Amino acid sequence: MKKNSFLTFICPMLLLVVGCARNLDLNPLSEGSSENWFKNENEITLALNDLYRSDLWYIESNRLFHTDRYSDDWSQREQLYEWAAGATTGMTGEVINTWQTLYKGVARANTILYSLDRAADNVSEERLNQLRGEASFFRACFYSYLIFLYGDVPFVTNYITIEQAFELGRTDKNVILKQIYDDFDVAIQYLPTSYGNDLMRVTKGAAYAFKARTAAWMLDYRTCAEAAKGCIDLDMYSLHPDYGELFLTKTHVSPELIFTLPRSQALMNDALASNSYYPRNAGGTAVAQPSWELFCAYTCTDGLPVDESPLFDPQHPFENRDPRCAATMVEFGTPHLGFIYDPGAEKVLNLTTDKMVTNKDALLNDQFAAYNGMCLKKGVDEEWTDDKKTETDIKLMRYADVLLMYAEAKMELNEIDASVLEAINRVRARAYKVSHTQINDYPAVTETDQNRLRTIIRNERRVELAWENRRWFDLLRWRLAEIALVRPVYALPVKEGLIANIASGDYFFPKGVLPEIDENGLVDLSPLFATGKIRAVVQRKFDTRQYLYPIPSKEVQINNNIKQNPGY
């Protein structure tokens, strides 16, 4: 048996509170084991604390914008990650690490739930049930990722022996889904609505919200609508008044944040590299940036897409756009991290010295400047430039997502009413910093046709939740990856071509042509490419087998009862 296989993490005799591996002393003097711990509230709480560790949420937190890298919101020079290149196998590190960390989380939650009764003499029933709700929440979350990413998977809710583990096959994901819903319901029943003192442990609202997300992943829109409504009806959450401020490192507490994971370099040696996402003038590398597809997805201020609105100007593409556009990408000619950002200028102003300097963020001067001229602004602040790392919290769930899940679910059920439009408009109005009732001050949504409203909601999710690890999941569950992720990544021409475009008036985008946006909100830039004024730098690849990850090869090799997903 390989040390780090599924069995390592799921078998009870291998479980320690702080780790698990075979042939270890099960009762080390310095660590509590699953056999002698969980006798009091402190021990249980310490074990639960481990479930908040970012390592167990690998698919969300392994690196900045982890899954966005596989989506059509991402541009990274001529590089594609394995999944986006269609090269994922059962040996891919991403596949293995995701599987292992999720099963670590399942095993640790199972251990806590199995052991709670040991503390019955020392902990009140009310407190014990609250701890039960907390552990149930985490088990539900970890299993929800497993069934969404891998489909049918081995399913364990209790202690099993090594021999039993080798007999495990893959359980129908719908069976597991029922347990996931039951676990979320336990969490909803026993968790408090808040803890006070801004303590960010999981709450009743988080359980409702993650149940809604799981249901949305499974296209179970009835359950999604009911769970999202349950979260809304708690009346505990509201939208942060300033969209851009919400994502800054300093914003640890907000009525919009339902569940976050903290990062701390000092306390946990937990910080993420950030220099790939800010400009070269400011000391970054400009390796990756928002894609042109994302840039073109933001509607104009009349609420119309760029291929329909008379307000869109390809030569001044930030003008008359949804404010979230300039909150997500740095508007040309505006200050950013000590410089004026302008990818079409040979020199820019250094705001610290008040002098013009050679612009390293233009392909006119630097071949490694952002290939598409975009620069990330969402979440980026001065804190990133100190040591090229960030301790920004991982925002796993926020209220805007709940509102949009509710609107989507009700739309898919064709139960479109005033509450649906209000949910969307609350999110959209916040971008314009007005109340949703001020319908003359933002492009309020009034559409009630199901098909047209689907287009609006899908695009609203894209622009509201951009670069928050939500887009990839949406493309998978909507089965749109086979359209969006077979298109090239586009960029500006190299130096000579860029000079020619500027001289002819074909900068920023070629004049006289527009991208095409379909009924799913997907952006097709091929009309611009046909002019010869932009370039395709790399071709994405997608095969329908990729709607599921492969089962890690080692699991298939050591257990004949575990079969591989089709196509791998």
Side-chain angles (χ1 to χ4, degrees), residues 420-441:
V420 173
L421 299 181
E422 179 180 333
I424 305 167
N425 284 328
R426 282 186 181 275
V427 174
R428 182 174 285 194
R430 187 268 299 274
Y432 288 79
K433 297 184 179 180
V434 298
S435 167
H436 72 282
T437 60
Q438 296 173 255
I439 58 175
N440 294 324
D441 296 324

Side-chain angles (χ1 to χ4, degrees), residues 266-390:
L267 296 178
M268 300 179 287
N269 192 31
D270 189 18
L272 291 175
S274 62
N275 63 314
S276 294
Y277 312 105
Y278 58 88
R280 297 177 73 80
N281 283 331
T285 61
V287 167
Q289 46 280 146
S291 69
W292 279 354
E293 288 102 321
L294 175 60
F295 182 49
C296 293
Y298 292 86
T299 63
C300 292
T301 52
D302 56 7
L304 295 175
V306 297
D307 63 342
E308 296 180 18
S309 175
L311 300 178
F312 181 63
D313 182 349
Q315 281 68 62
H316 302 91
F318 277 95
E319 292 183 0
N320 304 314
R321 303 291 295 283
D322 183 319
R324 288 170 293 191
C325 183
T328 303
M329 288 156 269
V330 182
E331 183 174 1
F332 305 152
T334 64
H336 184 60
L337 299 182
F339 296 83
I340 297 299
Y341 184 79
D342 189 344
E346 291 189 356
K347 292 185 178 294
V348 292
L349 181 65
N350 181 323
L351 297 171
T352 302
T353 64
D354 200 32
K355 294 181 179 180
M356 300 296 289
V357 296
T358 298
N359 183 13
K360 293 187 287 186
D361 288 310
L363 291 170
L364 298 169
N365 299 316
D366 190 322
Q367 64 174 320
F368 296 115
Y371 279 22
N372 67 0
M374 297 287 112
C375 180
L376 180 67
K377 184 176 182 180
K378 186 175 181 178
V380 179
D381 57 24
E382 296 288 346
E383 176 260 348
W384 288 34
T385 64
D386 292 341
D387 59 1
K388 297 181 172 58
K389 291 184 178 181
T390 179

Side-chain angles (χ1 to χ4, degrees), residues 466-477:
W467 280 51
E468 295 182 49
N469 286 328
R470 303 275 64 87
R471 176 65 175 173
W472 182 66
F473 289 93
D474 283 349
L475 289 175
L476 292 179
R477 69 185 179 92

